[in-house]
């Protein structure tokens, strides 16, 4: 019956090494798993079974990974059940190669946030890169890793701190602003923005 693979995307979208993170980063509304027949190409084989799941606004690369792992296991189990019942190859659907997107392997250099980019884009990247490689940026001369952040409506010079309170640290972006909620100093542990500001009160706005 050949070889099968469980792939964590809705093929042909996001073939390759990092389909979970790329789906979040791109702002996809849903993703899922495909049970596919393996062939020579990378994730190009026909799809035997597919299950979908929505991508919630609070999903991170870690939480979506765990949910897709469970969904992948149940999809594989169903495929094996059908194979055992029929003792024949499962019906398959060829992929439309014209619709293929490639999910490049994550690179730590990508974790560096560019404040010239829109805030909604950076917020998705923070979510996608949690728990690895974790987004990072320089804030008032200090390098921080950013574990949680949301986009807000505000304006200012990209990279400038335009607000800092118990609600979070607001950094202006090319479009909108990014509110940092959980940050980590070099050598430290992840802290709520309010706790970080206790150590750097001069940042309060």
């Amino acid at each position: 019956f050949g070889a099968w693979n469980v792939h964590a995307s809705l093929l042909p979208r996001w073939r390759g090494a990092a389909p979970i993170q790329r789906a979040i980063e791109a702002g996809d509304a849903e993703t899922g798993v495909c049970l596919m027949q393996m062939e020579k190409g990378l994730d190009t084989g026909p799809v035997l079974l597919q299950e979908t799941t929505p991508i919630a606004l609070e999903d991170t690369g870690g939480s979506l990974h765990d949910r897709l792992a469970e969904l992948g296991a149940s999809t594989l189990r169903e495929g094996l059940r059908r194979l055992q019942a029929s003792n024949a190859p499962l019906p398959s659907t060829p992929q439309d190669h014209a619709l293929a997107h490639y999910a490049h392997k994550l690179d730590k250099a990508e974790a560096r946030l560019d404040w010239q980019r829109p805030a909604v884009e950076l917020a998705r990247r923070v979510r996608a890169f949690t728990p690895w490689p974790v987004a990072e940026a320089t804030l008032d001369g200090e390098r921080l890793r950013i574990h949680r952040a949301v986009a807000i409506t505000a304006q200012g010079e990209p990279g400038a701190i335009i607000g800092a309170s118990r609600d979070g640290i607001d950094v202006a972006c090319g479009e909108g602003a990014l509110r940092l909620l959980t940050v980590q100093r070099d050598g430290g542990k992840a802290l709520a923005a309010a706790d970080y500001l206790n150590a750097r009160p001069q940042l309060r706005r």
Side-chain angles (χ1 to χ4, degrees), residues 65-123:
H65 168 277
D66 292 349
R67 190 159 77 251
L68 291 174
E70 293 187 6
L71 191 61
S74 64
T75 303
L76 175 59
R77 185 165 54 245
E78 175 61 16
L80 292 171
R81 186 195 66 77
R82 294 186 187 186
L83 181 64
Q84 184 179 42
S86 65
N87 196 37
L90 270 60
S92 62
T93 303
Q95 295 186 42
D96 184 345
H97 302 304
L99 299 178
H101 287 71
Y102 183 68
H104 293 275
K105 182 179 179 181
L106 296 181
D107 187 322
K108 288 196 72 172
E110 293 181 86
R112 187 80 177 174
L113 298 184
D114 178 359
W115 298 119
Q116 300 291 335
R117 304 301 303 169
V120 291
E121 180 183 308
L122 298 185

Side-chain angles (χ1 to χ4, degrees), residues 2 6 54 63 106 126 195:
V6 178
S63 67
L106 296 181
V126 169
D195 294 330

Side-chain angles (χ1 to χ4, degrees), residues 18 24 28 31-32 62 64 69 84 97-98 112 114 120 123 128-129 132 138 146 154 171-172 178 186 195:
I24 295 175
D28 291 0
T31 186
L64 189 55
Q84 184 179 42
H97 302 304
R112 187 80 177 174
D114 178 359
V120 291
F129 288 6
W132 193 90
T138 299
I146 302 167
V171 184
L178 191 68
D186 282 340
D195 294 330

Side-chain angles (χ1 to χ4, degrees), residues 3-70:
W4 289 355
N5 180 51
V6 178
H7 184 75
S9 81
L10 300 178
L11 293 168
R13 188 165 177 80
W14 304 128
R15 297 172 178 173
I20 299 171
Q21 293 85 355
R22 299 306 180 193
I24 295 175
E25 186 181 18
D28 291 0
E30 66 173 7
T31 186
V33 296
C34 286
L35 179 63
M36 55 172 286
Q37 192 82 45
M38 293 179 69
E39 57 180 29
K40 186 176 181 179
L42 177 63
D43 301 326
T44 59
V47 175
L48 307 172
L49 292 173
Q50 177 180 284
E51 294 292 340
T52 64
T53 184
I55 300 178
L57 291 177
E58 65 273 13
D59 267 327
T60 65
S63 67
L64 189 55
H65 168 277
D66 292 349
R67 190 159 77 251
L68 291 174
E70 293 187 6

Side-chain angles (χ1 to χ4, degrees), residues 128-144:
F129 288 6
T130 299
W132 193 90
V134 184
E136 63 177 62
T138 299
L139 197 66
D140 194 46
E142 181 176 29
R143 175 180 172 271
L144 293 177

